[in-house]
Amino acid sequence: MDRERFSGCLIGQCLGDALGFPVEGFPPEACAIYVDNTMRVPAAERHASRPQPFGQYTDDSQLARELLQSYAAHGRFDPVDYARRIAAIFAEERIVGRGLATHRAAQRLNAGVGWEEAGELPPAAGNGSAMRAGPVGLLFHDDRAQLLRIAHDQGRITHRDPRCSAGSVAIASAVAMALEDAPVEVTHWAGRLADDARPHDAGFAEALLRLPEWVALAPDRAVAAIPHRMGEADSPYHWEGISPFVVSSVLWSLYAFLRTPDDYWESICTAIAVGGDVDTTAAMTGAISGARAGLKGLPPDLVLALTDQDTWGYDELVALAHECHARKHR
């Protein structure tokens, strides 16, 4: 498999994350204006509304990068090493935009709790495990059994709700499918993703099967149709737009990709325009779309601005992706 698909996946995630970060948590109306008046005009980097310059990505991509760094160091997925890296990036205050469940899990890891016991218990069902699952699909796209196992294991380091495992599996599987050269057929995708998620959560799997129905709808109708709470009476996720709840955010990320599977930029615009946890939805969408488009399919003027607090910019990220590609194919 072309190593440019590896770098496309990682850079595509980081860029989506960075584009969503300036309006993370904003209501739908503000995000729609941002997409129309900033993203759809030249020089989007001049209009970032955060203190950081355009290009800063968040914990979504930092933790995906750490997973790839762990693989590069060991040539396999090592949950002990990956858990150590999660703990360290929090302890060293390098994390940007931390999620509460992941933060609490990192605190337990830093206190000496083992990786299998540190994760937040149900009903905590945020998207912290799914947001970093893209590299699993990249690294294990040719071994479905390993992909499913590792997507679950990497996620339960911080999230032990079965819906979180289902979301992690769905994103990893979507990246693996995006690497295939076949045209994207939505019903086929929905069926495969549902099959992969079903062992963890049947309700999530049934929602994935409805993707063809939702993809046929315009975004304003689709966002209203997608389940936001999955029957939770006391859900803490009441954001305007797409919340950090794993079910709605994973479904929206998949919707954004499947609406325009061969247009990275349009998919990212769709991921962000509805508001809410848009750095994460754009990161997940970007990982899938970037894996399909490859590095050459991403906007060259924007990818060069990527940074993590003046470290881990474009060149370093591409080098990491290429190193992982080389390790996999030795």
Side-chain angles (χ1 to χ4, degrees), residues 237-267:
Y237 303 113
H238 299 301
W239 291 34
E240 289 189 70
I242 297 295
S243 81
F245 180 40
V246 66
V247 176
S248 53
S249 57
V250 167
L251 290 172
W252 187 255
S253 301
L254 292 166
Y255 167 88
F257 168 74
L258 291 169
R259 281 282 288 183
T260 51
D262 295 306
D263 188 335
Y264 173 88
W265 192 251
E266 190 58 36
S267 294

Side-chain angles (χ1 to χ4, degrees), residues 94-114:
R94 292 184 285 122
I95 203 75
V96 175
R98 68 191 64 200
L100 292 178
T102 307
H103 184 197
R104 288 192 289 262
Q107 288 178 317
R108 286 189 283 272
L109 290 167
N110 280 306
V113 177

Side-chain angles (χ1 to χ4, degrees), residues 31-235:
C31 288
I33 291 170
Y34 170 75
V35 167
D36 289 342
N37 295 346
T38 298
M39 291 183 64
R40 296 192 188 279
V41 299
E45 65 270 31
R46 290 201 293 265
H47 299 275
S49 60
R50 294 276 183 164
Q52 297 89 348
F54 172 77
Q56 176 65 54
Y57 48 89
T58 74
D59 57 336
D60 307 68
S61 302
Q62 289 178 310
L63 295 178
R65 182 194 70 208
E66 293 289 330
L67 196 157
L68 286 171
Q69 287 179 262
S70 181
Y71 181 86
H74 297 277
R76 60 185 174 86
F77 175 70
D78 182 336
V80 174
D81 181 70
Y82 185 46
R84 179 187 63 78
R85 291 171 183 272
I86 292 173
I89 198 170
F90 278 87
E92 295 164 10
E93 296 293 336
R94 292 184 285 122
I95 203 75
V96 175
R98 68 191 64 200
L100 292 178
T102 307
H103 184 197
R104 288 192 289 262
Q107 288 178 317
R108 286 189 283 272
L109 290 167
N110 280 306
V113 177
W115 73 270
E116 293 174 294
E117 303 297 327
E120 285 280 279
L121 292 170
N127 52 28
S129 58
M131 71 187 191
R132 61 181 195 252
V136 177
L138 197 65
L139 297 168
F140 303 101
H141 66 94
D142 53 354
D143 188 333
R144 183 170 178 268
Q146 273 213 88
L147 182 152
L148 298 178
R149 176 180 62 81
I150 292 168
H152 169 54
D153 281 348
Q154 74 81 23
R156 65 192 177 104
I157 294 171
T158 57
H159 293 72
R160 286 192 279 169
D161 190 297
R163 292 166 296 184
C164 298
S165 290
S168 179
V169 164
I171 293 299
S173 295
V175 166
M177 292 176 70
L179 296 171
E180 299 170 2
D181 292 328
V184 173
E185 202 285 307
V186 179
T187 301
H188 172 66
W189 269 61
R192 281 181 59 178
L193 294 174
D195 287 345
D196 289 345
R198 188 170 289 109
H200 297 288
D201 191 82
F204 206 152
E206 291 307 306
L208 288 163
L209 286 174
R210 296 186 64 189
L211 278 168
E213 167 192 339
W214 294 326
V215 169
L217 300 176
D220 60 336
R221 295 182 60 200
V223 73
I226 284 175
H228 288 254
R229 294 174 63 184
M230 291 292 283
E232 284 190 350
D234 299 311
S235 171

